[in-house]
Amino acid sequence: VQIMGEVPAGKALRRDGAKPGDEIWVSGQIGDAALGLAHLQNHIHLEAQEAQACLNKLHTPDARVTLGQHLLGLAHSAIDISDGLFADLGHILERSGVAAVIEFKALPKSAVLQKYLGHDAALQALLAGGEDYELCFTTPKKNSVELAKLSRKLRLPLTRIGSIKKGRGLTLLDAAGKRMGIACNTKGFDH
């Protein structure tokens, strides 16, 4: 497979541009594709309509190319969520030499995923499941109004999930702002 394209000089959305103070944003909802796969693998049982909705996300993901084009000049860094939020955001953090703080309650999830969130497979799908192909990107706080306009224009939810800090690593906070210890494998897909 060969993919070719063009981007204006100096405007490519890369992994190495995140800066302390940036906000972290995600398009759409995450975790449904992995939840559908977990259902197929008998790690969780979903009702028929729920399973179909998740399997639709798994089998026919919607590549966010248009969003990516609109983020040129707005985002400092970006990546698609193909290996899981923690793994893919981790690539941005590693390449940019920064840390992140994520607010668990802010993570955009479907009603189906929310319903099963007490199950390990659903938590794994949300944090480390891939194949959603939503975009995770970092941008200066000053762009939040522009992103709200872009969200309405594209009819695509864009959600602020955290922020970039100095240092290394990723911290997940609960609703009370306390660090969450996660029991599931949050490494995502390993090639």
Side-chain angles (χ1 to χ4, degrees):
V1 174
Q2 181 177 2
I3 300 174
M4 298 178 67
E6 295 180 1
V7 64
K11 300 278 185 174
L13 293 174
R14 297 167 42 114
R15 298 175 180 185
D16 61 359
K19 299 173 178 20
D22 277 1
E23 294 181 332
I24 304 167
W25 290 70
V26 171
S27 65
Q29 297 173 330
I30 56 174
D32 282 355
L35 191 61
L37 181 59
H39 172 79
L40 289 177
Q41 295 173 332
N42 295 315
H43 297 301
I44 192 169
H45 174 75
L46 305 176
E47 299 300 323
Q49 284 184 312
E50 297 168 338
Q52 190 57 54
C54 291
L55 291 172
N56 286 344
K57 293 283 191 165
L58 177 66
H59 295 140
T60 56
D62 188 3
R64 301 301 184 189
V65 176
T66 302
L67 172 60
Q69 292 169 333
H70 281 88
L71 290 176
L72 296 178
L74 286 176
H76 282 158
S77 65
I79 193 167
D80 69 332
I81 303 174
S82 57
D83 294 338
L85 175 64
F86 276 24
D88 291 319
L89 177 56
H91 295 312
I92 287 177
L93 302 180
E94 181 181 335
R95 294 296 306 272
S96 299
V98 294
V101 175
I102 301 295
E103 300 162 20
F104 183 79
K105 68 178 181 179
L107 296 176
K109 49 200 158 296
S110 69
V112 173
L113 199 139
Q114 180 68 43
K115 176 181 173 181
Y116 293 95
L117 204 49
H119 193 289
D120 285 346
L123 184 60
Q124 176 76 18
L126 179 64
L127 300 178
E131 306 304 317
D132 289 305
Y133 295 99
E134 295 295 346
L135 294 185
C136 177
F137 58 96
T138 69
T139 184
K141 190 174 189 173
K142 67 178 182 172
N143 290 337
S144 60
V145 172
E146 188 66 30
L147 290 172
K149 290 178 188 175
L150 180 58
S151 176
R152 287 190 298 274
K153 178 180 177 179
L154 298 179
R155 297 180 185 179
L156 174 65
L158 300 176
T159 306
R160 182 198 167 278
I161 63 167
S163 57
I164 297 293
K165 306 288 185 193
K166 290 181 181 178
R168 299 281 182 188
L170 193 153
T171 302
L172 184 65
L173 301 179
D174 65 14
K178 295 188 178 182
R179 176 181 242 149
M180 292 177 67
I182 300 298
C184 69
N185 170 19
T186 55
K187 294 180 182 172
F189 182 74
D190 183 356
H191 295 274

